[in-house]
């Protein structure tokens, strides 16, 4: 009907053109009819699953399986073997669950478990033995060189550092250099042994890791390394020696021991004080025995009614006559300041600290000066104070009109007489005063006491 409709719609004037057109119309009508018929024809055929998908699923469930895959439409044939029954069941269930699979043909069998065999181990052992026999001469040579260098490391190190004795006398410097050279010689022997054994890369790794390990240890033990380096610098510069009296950060004492970590002082109370070497090196060090001459000083105040020149001359005469005071440098008596009630004199004197004690000499000089000023009527007043007597002062006499001498005048005369007598006694006993230095006593106590920590002196 469609063809007839198309034929009637064209004019019949041109018979040839219409016949050609009829053939084209007929052809297209057949094509349209076939398409329409195929679209309504029911079919049970489904698309086949992808082989790659099936292979991926099998590998996921059992990577060690050996299975061949054959796909016919929606039917999947599996031929091969797996290691476990559980793996087989998982593979079948996973593939059967695919939407494009209608049937799974199971031709999978379990792989037999091979018995334990020592053949591979035996083969490896034989190969190792063959290689060992091949490298045995080189191993023996490398081991001999390593043991020889290990045995000769200390003598060689001592021989190599012998010129250091001309440069420094520090035992610590020589010890550190000797140990460092010994370690380098041992590492050289280890490198030669590994190189002859065929472990060149391992030898290079060991040598390289030595520096890395040293860097790591340096950061980890920063304080210890700082004290050790400070001990090296103290050993080289030698700002003090054993037995010297030094003062560091308010700690005064005799140097007893200097190790690679700390310096031990024995103070004048007999206490052991350990100070880290880094602290000593970074702070001010006062060495009191580097120069045996030490200056002592004290202040004494005289009244404003006294003669300043006379007081200075008396002090100079007393210090010049005392055997503990050095004549060179000469002592001095200077005016320090003017106080509320006294003129304060600063007395300077020098002593030999190796034989005399500065505090003892200062004590004796102050005692002699006080007695000399009292004998020469030079007043030593205290600070000015105001005293108020609301009821007045009652004078007491002896009760006889002819004798009007006050009692306080008599007592003052007797007091001055007693002071003069004490001054003569002080002058007479001056030679018996103990002015010896305490440093020797502290040194003896330090020598007799136990060491607070192990380790030899480095200075």
């Amino acid at each position: 009907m469609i063809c007839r409709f198309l034929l009637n719609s064209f004019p019949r004037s041109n018979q040839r053109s219409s016949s050609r057109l009829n053939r084209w119309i007929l052809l297209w009508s057949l094509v349209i009819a076939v398409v329409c018929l195929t679209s309504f024809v029911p079919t049970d055929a489904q698309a086949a699953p992808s082989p790659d998908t099936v292979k991926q699923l099998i590998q996921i469930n059992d990577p060690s399986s050996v299975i061949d895959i054959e796909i016919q439409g929606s039917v999947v044939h599996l031929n091969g073997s797996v290691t476990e029954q559980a793996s087989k069941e998982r593979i079948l269930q996973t593939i059967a669950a695919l939407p494009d699979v209608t049937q799974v043909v199971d031709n999978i069998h379990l792989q037999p478990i091979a018995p334990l065999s020592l053949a591979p181990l035996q083969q490896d052992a034989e190969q190792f033995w063959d290689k060992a026999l091949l490298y045995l001469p080189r191993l023996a040579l490398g081991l001999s060189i390593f043991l020889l260098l290990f045995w000769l490391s200390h003598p060689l190190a001592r021989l190599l550092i012998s010129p250091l004795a001309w440069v420094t006398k520090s035992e610590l410097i020589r010890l550190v250099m000797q140990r460092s050279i010994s370690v380098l010689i041992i590492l050289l022997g280890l490198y030669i042994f590994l190189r002859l054994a065929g472990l060149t890369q391992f030898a290079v790794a060991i040598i390289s890791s030595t520096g890395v390990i040293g860097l790591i240890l340096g950061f980890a033990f920063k304080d210890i390394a700082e004290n050790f380096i400070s001990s090296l610098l103290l050993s080289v510069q030698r700002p003090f020696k054993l037995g010297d009296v030094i003062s560091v950060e308010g700690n005064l004492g005799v140097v007893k021991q200097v190790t690679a970590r700390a310096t031990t002082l024995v103070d004048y109370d007999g206490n052991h004080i350990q100070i880290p070497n880094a602290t000593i090196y970074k702070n001010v060090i006062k060495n009191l025995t580097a120069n045996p001459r030490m200056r002592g000083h004290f202040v004494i105040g005289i009244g404003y009614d006294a003669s300043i020149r006379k007081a200075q001359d008396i002090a100079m005469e007393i210090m010049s006559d005392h055997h503990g005071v050095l004549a060179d440098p000469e002592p001095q008596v200077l005016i320090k300041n003017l106080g509320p009630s006294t003129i304060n004199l600063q007395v300077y004197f020098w002593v030999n600290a190796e034989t005399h004690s500065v505090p003892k000499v200062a004590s004796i000089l102050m005692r002699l000066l006080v007695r000399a000023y009292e004998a020469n009527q030079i007043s030593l007043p205290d600070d000015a104070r105001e005293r108020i007597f609301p009821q007045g002062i009652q004078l007491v006499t002896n009760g006889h009109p002819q004798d009007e001498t006050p009692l306080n005048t008599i007592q003052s005369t007797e007091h001055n007489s007693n002071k003069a007598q004490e001054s003569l006694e002080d002058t007479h006993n001056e030679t018996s005063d103990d002015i010896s230095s305490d440093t020797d006593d502290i040194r003896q106590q330090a020598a007799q006491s136990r060491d607070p920590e192990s380790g030899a002196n480095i200075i």
Side-chain angles (χ1 to χ4, degrees), residues 189-200:
L190 180 60
Y191 176 77
I192 293 174
F193 169 71
L194 295 175
R195 186 68 181 269
L196 292 176
L199 301 175
T200 305

Side-chain angles (χ1 to χ4, degrees), residues 368 371-372 375 418-428:
L368 294 176
R371 294 291 179 253
N418 293 334
K419 286 185 177 180
Q421 183 67 23
E422 291 178 358
S423 177
L424 292 176
E425 292 178 356
D426 290 340
T427 306
H428 177 72

Side-chain angles (χ1 to χ4, degrees), residues 157-173:
R158 285 197 298 268
L159 179 63
L160 292 175
I161 67 169
S162 56
L164 283 177
W166 304 339
V167 179
T168 179
K169 296 181 179 180
S170 174
E171 185 64 26
L172 179 63
I173 296 294

Side-chain angles (χ1 to χ4, degrees), residues 120-410:
L121 296 177
Q122 184 178 0
Q123 184 179 3
D124 294 340
E126 291 177 355
Q127 292 178 357
F128 176 77
W129 179 251
D130 293 338
K131 291 182 179 180
L133 291 177
L134 180 62
Y135 283 96
L136 186 59
R138 301 175 62 180
L139 289 173
L141 178 60
L143 183 61
S144 301
I145 294 175
F146 173 72
L147 293 177
L148 179 63
L149 291 178
F150 184 83
W151 181 63
L152 293 176
S153 60
H154 294 287
L156 286 176
R158 285 197 298 268
L159 179 63
L160 292 175
I161 67 169
S162 56
L164 283 177
W166 304 339
V167 179
T168 179
K169 296 181 179 180
S170 174
E171 185 64 26
L172 179 63
I173 296 294
R174 293 196 294 268
L175 181 62
V176 171
M177 293 299 297
Q178 179 180 345
R179 290 183 178 178
S180 300
I181 295 175
S182 299
V183 171
L184 292 177
I185 293 174
I186 293 173
L187 287 176
L188 176 62
L190 180 60
Y191 176 77
I192 293 174
F193 169 71
L194 295 175
R195 186 68 181 269
L196 292 176
L199 301 175
T200 305
Q201 298 296 330
F202 184 65
V204 173
I206 289 180
I207 300 300
S208 302
S209 62
T210 303
V212 177
I213 292 174
L215 184 62
I216 294 173
L217 292 178
F219 281 106
F221 301 99
K222 173 180 170 296
D223 295 336
I224 298 176
E226 185 180 12
N227 289 324
F228 179 73
I229 295 174
S230 299
S231 66
L232 291 177
L233 296 175
L234 290 175
S235 178
V236 172
Q237 299 177 0
R238 299 176 66 85
F240 52 82
K241 65 180 186 298
L242 297 179
D244 283 355
V245 179
I246 65 172
S247 175
V248 180
E249 281 197 330
N251 298 307
L252 177 66
V254 177
V255 180
K256 172 179 172 56
Q257 189 179 40
V258 181
T259 62
R261 190 192 70 85
T263 298
T264 302
L265 302 181
V266 180
D267 64 3
Y268 284 85
D269 294 332
N271 301 318
H272 286 72
I273 304 173
Q274 290 187 349
I275 307 175
N277 289 328
T279 303
I280 293 179
Y281 186 76
K282 292 187 294 185
N283 286 276
V284 177
I285 303 174
K286 181 187 288 187
N287 193 331
L288 304 181
T289 53
N291 181 13
R293 298 178 179 180
M294 294 185 62
R295 188 177 73 169
H297 55 85
F298 60 87
V299 178
I300 186 169
I302 62 175
Y304 279 93
D305 58 342
S307 172
I308 301 176
R309 174 63 66 182
K310 184 178 181 180
Q312 289 177 322
D313 293 340
I314 292 174
M316 288 293 296
E317 181 180 358
I318 290 176
M319 289 188 291
S320 299
D321 295 340
H322 197 279
H323 66 281
V325 179
L326 297 176
D328 185 20
E330 64 179 359
Q332 292 179 332
V333 181
L334 305 176
I335 299 176
K336 182 180 180 181
N337 56 25
L338 301 177
S341 59
T342 59
I343 300 174
N344 296 320
L345 302 179
Q346 182 83 46
V347 180
Y348 295 101
F349 59 94
W350 290 83
V351 299
N352 186 353
E354 289 292 332
T355 57
H356 299 93
S357 172
V358 176
K360 291 180 181 179
V361 174
S363 176
I364 293 174
L365 292 178
M366 284 188 285
R367 185 184 66 192
L368 294 176
L369 275 177
V370 170
R371 294 291 179 253
Y373 285 167
E374 291 175 349
N376 288 275
Q377 303 298 320
I378 297 177
S379 61
L380 300 171
D382 58 357
D383 293 337
R385 288 190 291 264
E386 181 182 1
R387 297 182 180 181
I388 300 175
F389 299 92
Q391 305 299 329
I393 301 176
Q394 183 179 3
L395 299 177
V396 180
T397 62
N398 56 2
H400 299 281
Q402 67 275 10
D403 189 6
E404 297 293 336
T405 304
L407 181 61
N408 56 357
T409 304
I410 299 174

